[in-house]
Amino acid sequence: MESLLVGFSPSSALVSSGSSCWRNKDLMAGHFPSFYKGLQVSRCKVWNIIDRTTVVKLERYHLKHHIRGAKDRSIYHQKIKIKHLANAASGHPLQSNQPDDYKPKSPLNSVINALDAFYRFSRPHTVIGTALSIVSVALLAVEKVSDISPLFFTGVLEAIAAALMMNIYIVGLNQLSDIEIDKVNKPYLPLASGEYSFKTGVLIVASFSIMSFWLGWIVGSWPLFWALFTSFVLGTAYSINLPLLRWKRFAVAAAMCILAVRAVVVQLAFYLHMQTHVYRRPAVFSKPLIFATAFMSFFSVVIALFKDVPDLEGDKTFGIRTFTVRLGQKRVFWTCISLLEVAYTVAILVGATSPFAWSKLITVLGHSILALILWNRAKSVDIGSKTAITSCYMFIWKLFYAEYLLIPFVR
């Protein structure tokens, strides 16, 4: 308690007032009547009492604020701890243990934080899937080695740039429409966490949709432009909360939206972009293209079903009637695994009928390995754990990427 009073003047005031009284008494003894001397002594006693009262009040004041400060610091660190636990549960990387108030502010840190927020806003697993699918489908249009030319890379880059902008529009609009749901299901997303305001989200979404259409228009490829337009319409109908829209509320309609974009639009439109616009050849629906469309139809249904398995709590709270809400996590989980195993079996059979030994080897062996890995992973998943289910969902996306690496070898 003494340390709380160091540097303050009440005690010094007490001493000075006491000494002043004694100087007054000496002065009065030589120059004033005795009755006045008694009066001055009484006044000194009064001043001493007042000084003591002041010291006691200041001690109480600083004790009160010391306790309050300790309590506030305790609450602050409790909040930091809770925030870190929430981040860990959501699967988002833990931030530094150093409180934000003590982090050095610099332009570099601001840039890093802004890039991190946009990275999460863009839903990178969908960005990677879109880019890989376009490259893979573009390779289906290659008929000879000389087709791998600057013209090929230009056509691919045009398609990827326009498609990624539209991809960000679609995932961004979904986040704008699901802020309250994401506070439960995905609290690490920028809109749900408050890193982005609603206006910021609207600005990003509008800007990327405009840039996507602008690029598709100046490229002059009708297959590319219609791919963007169809994705825009279906992505908007899936998410936006308007009469007769927000199709994600209905399990079948939601699955059909994802299937139409991921399985049909991506395979056919981007193949036609390369075949008819880049190479100026007539459209030919080859065996690899038909296989890719059929296989990705299975895969798109799986992604449409599986993405809702970790989100059971939030979807049930806000009345989103997904298959997981209606049928339960376990049933939907094993339905997805079964669908993928069937798709891998069909792919193995297709590969076995190939007239090319190298295609047969890569297709059969590659799909056999993926099927085995998926089955072993599925058996080890704790369906009751949201973290485990989310991790498995991201693993499904990795299988999605791997399939696009195998598709060009199907002949």
Side-chain angles (χ1 to χ4, degrees), residues 17-323:
S17 62
S19 62
S20 174
C21 286
W22 285 113
R23 285 197 302 272
N24 287 339
K25 290 200 299 181
D26 291 340
L27 183 63
M28 288 183 296
H31 300 283
F32 296 93
S34 60
F35 76 89
Y36 193 74
K37 178 179 178 181
L39 178 61
Q40 291 295 327
V41 170
S42 299
R43 287 178 62 186
C44 288
K45 290 180 179 179
V46 170
W47 278 110
N48 287 338
I49 292 171
I50 292 173
D51 286 338
R52 290 193 194 99
T53 303
T54 302
V55 171
V56 170
K57 287 182 178 179
L58 281 171
E59 288 176 347
R60 289 177 179 173
Y61 173 83
H62 289 294
L63 177 61
K64 178 180 177 181
H65 283 269
H66 176 71
I67 294 172
R68 181 182 297 172
K71 183 178 179 181
D72 290 343
R73 286 191 296 273
S74 175
I75 293 172
Y76 176 81
H77 288 292
Q78 290 263 355
K79 288 181 178 178
I80 291 293
K81 183 178 180 181
I82 291 171
K83 180 179 179 182
H84 282 209
L85 289 174
N87 285 338
S90 68
H92 186 59
L94 289 178
Q95 297 176 355
S96 168
N97 290 329
Q98 188 179 15
D100 291 341
D101 293 342
Y102 298 100
K103 287 182 180 178
K105 304 294 183 181
S106 71
L108 180 59
N109 286 338
S110 299
V111 170
I112 292 173
N113 292 336
L115 290 175
D116 176 64
F118 183 75
Y119 174 81
R120 284 177 280 123
F121 181 80
S122 68
R123 308 297 280 144
H125 60 282
T126 65
V127 170
I128 295 170
T130 299
L132 268 179
S133 63
I134 292 173
V135 173
S136 179
V137 171
L139 288 171
L140 296 181
V142 174
E143 297 179 356
K144 49 187 181 293
V145 176
S146 61
D147 285 344
I148 306 295
S149 62
L151 187 65
F152 170 84
F153 291 107
T154 301
V156 169
L157 288 176
E158 289 170 345
I160 289 177
L164 292 189
M165 291 175 189
M166 186 56 66
N167 191 97
I168 291 172
Y169 162 78
I170 292 172
V171 298
L173 180 64
N174 187 56
Q175 291 173 64
L176 285 170
S177 304
D178 286 355
I179 293 176
E180 295 303 319
I181 299 176
D182 286 340
K183 287 180 180 178
V184 178
N185 292 337
K186 303 176 183 74
Y188 52 86
L189 294 178
L191 284 166
S193 66
E195 292 173 83
Y196 280 176
S197 67
F198 185 82
K199 290 182 179 179
T200 300
V202 170
L203 180 62
I204 293 173
V205 164
S207 299
F208 275 87
S209 64
I210 292 170
M211 289 190 295
S212 177
F213 279 122
W214 172 79
L215 182 56
W217 181 262
I218 65 172
V219 166
S221 170
W222 281 108
L224 175 59
F225 185 84
W226 282 109
L228 299 175
F229 181 76
T230 305
S231 300
F232 175 85
V233 171
L234 293 177
T236 302
Y238 177 87
S239 297
I240 198 166
N241 195 8
L242 291 175
L244 303 179
L245 299 179
R246 195 163 172 77
W247 293 350
K248 69 178 296 177
R249 294 176 297 169
F250 313 106
V252 175
M256 290 301 103
C257 283
I258 295 173
L259 185 149
V261 174
R262 288 286 174 189
V264 180
V265 172
V266 169
Q267 320 311 317
L268 299 183
F270 290 108
Y271 169 79
L272 291 175
H273 164 70
M274 296 299 296
Q275 182 76 358
T276 63
H277 174 75
V278 176
Y279 292 130
R280 306 293 179 180
R281 297 169 182 159
V284 177
F285 295 94
S286 60
K287 176 184 173 181
L289 178 63
I290 295 171
F291 168 80
T293 304
F295 189 94
M296 283 305 163
S297 295
F298 271 89
F299 225 122
S300 299
V301 170
V302 169
I303 288 176
L305 296 177
F306 209 119
K307 73 178 184 62
D308 297 323
V309 176
D311 296 342
L312 174 64
E313 182 182 351
D315 289 344
K316 183 183 290 187
T317 301
F318 290 91
I320 307 297
R321 299 289 294 169
T322 63
F323 280 113

Side-chain angles (χ1 to χ4, degrees), residues 286-288 347-364 409-411:
S286 60
K287 176 184 173 181
I348 291 170
L349 294 176
V350 170
T353 63
S354 174
F356 303 101
W358 58 268
S359 175
K360 184 180 298 186
L361 176 64
I362 294 174
T363 305
V364 172
F409 296 98
V410 176
R411 289 291 184 270

